[in-house]
Amino acid sequence: MTRKQKRLALIAGAIGFLGAATGLTLYALGEQTSYFYMPGDLAENPVAAGQRIRLGGLVEKGSIERFDDTHVRFAVTDGSDTVTVRYNGILPDLFREEQGVVTEGVFDGSQIFVADTVLAKHDENYMPREVADSLKEKGVWQEN
């Protein structure tokens, strides 16, 4: 092999290695992706049971049901559609009715969203950007 052929082989090997590393990284990140949805989005385009998503909106007034210290069921709404959420865990201190919330989890087979994470707004001036933008578009939420 000449010096030129060796150099080309080295460059080709490096490009192949970088391509494989990039492909594996993108595949791994794709597996961890959870898409953000509002209840209205789910009514238009339902997701498959078991697909991990983020669900955001407002906690519907009068929908919170507590079964024991950690089991709770509530509804998330965007003003037009509502999704029932079941959660087993400690809720954030600021979790309450008519407040912004983002939940992460999956749908079970019966159209109930089983959340493993619940995030609530942390003060009067904050709401997750995706939730606020979607609620503003629908005219449900306005900043003070």
Side-chain angles (χ1 to χ4, degrees), residues 90-129:
I90 298 172
L91 290 168
D93 289 337
L94 296 175
F95 177 87
R96 60 184 179 266
E97 296 175 349
E98 298 182 326
Q99 294 295 317
V101 67
V102 174
T103 61
E104 258 185 75
V106 296
F107 276 98
D108 65 5
S110 65
Q111 296 303 315
I112 292 180
F113 187 74
V114 180
D116 53 33
T117 305
V118 175
L119 306 170
K121 65 185 229 172
H122 63 73
D123 68 18
E124 292 302 317
N125 300 317
Y126 173 79
M127 179 174 286
R129 189 183 82 240

